[in-house]
Amino acid sequence: MNTLENLQRRFASADFLSFSAIAPGFIAVQVRTDFSAATIALQGAHIMTWQPNGQEPVIWLSPQAKFAPGKSIRGGVPLCWPWFGAHATEAAYPGHGFARTIAWELMDALKLPDGRVRLSFEPVMNNAARAQWPHASTVHYNITVGQELDVALSTTNTDTTPFQLGQALHTYFEIGDIRQASVVGLAGCDFIDKVAGGARLQQDGAINFSGETDRVYLGTTGCCEIRDPVLQRTILITSTGSRSTVVWTPWTEKAEKMGDFGPDGYLKMVCVETANAVDDVITLAPGETHCMAAQYRAIKHG
Ligand code: BG6
């Protein structure tokens, strides 16, 4: 069981970790390395913060994020699994799947010889999750905290029939001002524009932002970057096992409606999500494993 006392006892020798209850029934683990610090909620194995030493946070967490059992956190790295967006057939199932709102177990925490720290998580499937995902599968999520932040989500089909898997690392990146930031590396890719009612378009040049943006880029190759002239840095995103990239920012009206962005919070974030969505959902045969991984690195200009 994930009680504070149990975790503190189990990981007593891991002096690079500390545990705290950030809200009733809501435990987070703080990771400190020589390069950066991170906080991860056990619910959803949800990375809430990651900040390299001497830099602004790279991962954005809403100042009005709510920490409550069964509710997803606004910001950080929500895990969308085992579907992305609305469920294909069941409108009542939660958007982006249930992985981000169930408990995960911290299985292992290891300091690597180079000083990075690797945490391994597995989901604890509850009854609702089992009802919504009637497939036998195992899931492992590794988070490696160092000069970079590395995340790897792997799913194995332990069933006797194939299943379809949609997923995303729904990462919120911190930026100085969305109106001046751009996303580079998706030029030439087709995308589905959810703001334009699902129109299929093709990206020409860099992505700049002047309103709500909600797009699924298809056939992406696993390398893009966020250019931020205000914080004077570039965030590099490299990924494997992903063929789609979601770019999302709510802008004023939608952020206000969502109610947990804080005043002008939307100006300080952009989601660039390593995903397998829409045309790129994965069909996993019995015995097969699929791993989707991403690495985030922030490079200061000048
Ligand atoms: C994005 C979707 O990935 O997530 C958007 O493309 C959605 O359509 C956004 O609004 C936020 O979703 P949620 O469920 O975390 O509010």
Side-chain angles (χ1 to χ4, degrees):
M1 253 277 283
N2 275 338
T3 65
L4 203 51
E5 296 68 33
N6 279 350
L7 287 161
Q8 282 164 340
R9 207 175 25 248
R10 270 183 63 209
F11 294 98
S13 62
D15 59 357
F16 45 87
L17 296 186
S18 59
F19 297 89
S20 58
I22 53 171
F26 212 93
I27 296 174
V29 52
Q30 285 81 34
V31 181
R32 178 147 287 288
T33 74
D34 289 345
F35 320 104
S36 67
T39 312
I40 300 141
L42 292 193
Q43 175 174 292
H46 192 133
I47 299 170
M48 295 162 52
T49 65
W50 177 57
Q51 183 164 18
N53 295 351
Q55 273 208 45
E56 319 287 333
V58 175
I59 301 294
W60 180 83
L61 178 67
S62 171
Q64 289 190 5
K66 297 179 178 70
F67 308 116
K71 300 266 174 266
S72 71
I73 301 170
R74 181 66 62 202
V77 187
L79 286 180
C80 305
W81 187 97
W83 60 86
F84 174 81
H87 188 272
T89 55
E90 301 294 333
Y93 288 5
H96 291 331
F98 50 77
R100 60 181 176 164
T101 52
I102 62 172
W104 288 60
E105 175 124 19
L106 178 58
M107 307 304 292
D108 199 15
L110 193 70
K111 190 161 200 169
L112 304 180
D114 60 11
R116 293 180 300 157
V117 167
R118 177 164 299 152
L119 304 188
S120 309
F121 291 89
E122 288 179 14
V124 182
M125 300 286 276
N126 58 25
N127 288 341
R130 271 191 290 271
Q132 292 167 8
W133 181 247
H135 307 288
S137 59
T138 54
V139 182
H140 301 279
Y141 184 44
N142 281 351
I143 299 172
T144 309
V145 182
Q147 237 146 12
E148 297 90 19
L149 179 67
D150 284 273
V151 285
L153 180 65
S154 81
T155 307
T156 302
N157 182 345
T158 53
D159 218 325
T160 51
T161 52
F163 58 67
Q164 284 213 320
L165 174 67
Q167 53 185 356
L169 299 156
H170 191 310
T171 308
Y172 290 71
F173 291 99
E174 176 139 339
I175 50 177
D177 187 332
I178 185 77
R179 295 164 299 192
Q180 295 184 53
S182 56
V183 175
V184 175
L186 300 171
C189 291
D190 288 344
F191 65 92
I192 295 168
D193 190 342
K194 293 205 214 169
V195 176
R200 283 199 181 225
L201 304 165
Q202 195 180 63
Q203 182 64 37
D204 184 19
I207 306 167
N208 298 299
F209 302 94
S210 56
E212 183 187 351
T213 304
D214 192 353
R215 302 174 177 176
V216 183
Y217 286 84
L218 301 167
T220 55
T221 54
C223 195
C224 64
E225 57 189 57
I226 301 167
R227 296 205 182 143
D228 182 348
V230 176
L231 296 185
Q232 300 192 322
R233 69 179 180 191
T234 296
I235 299 173
L236 289 180
I237 302 164
T238 50
S239 61
T240 53
S242 151
R243 297 277 293 153
S244 35
T245 302
V246 180
V247 178
W248 178 65
T249 179
W251 224 255
T252 38
E253 230 173 88
K254 194 163 181 193
E256 237 168 76
K257 256 191 231 149
M258 291 175 131
D260 54 3
F261 271 82
D264 290 339
Y266 79 96
L267 289 172
K268 304 284 180 200
M269 53 68 60
V270 63
C271 287
V272 179
E273 307 171 34
T274 295
N276 293 108
V278 198
D279 297 4
D280 295 324
V281 291
I282 305 287
T283 301
L284 215 53
E288 265 183 1
T289 297
H290 180 83
C291 182
M292 178 175 75
Q295 181 181 77
Y296 308 133
R297 177 147 50 115
I299 299 167
K300 275 301 235 189
H301 299 165

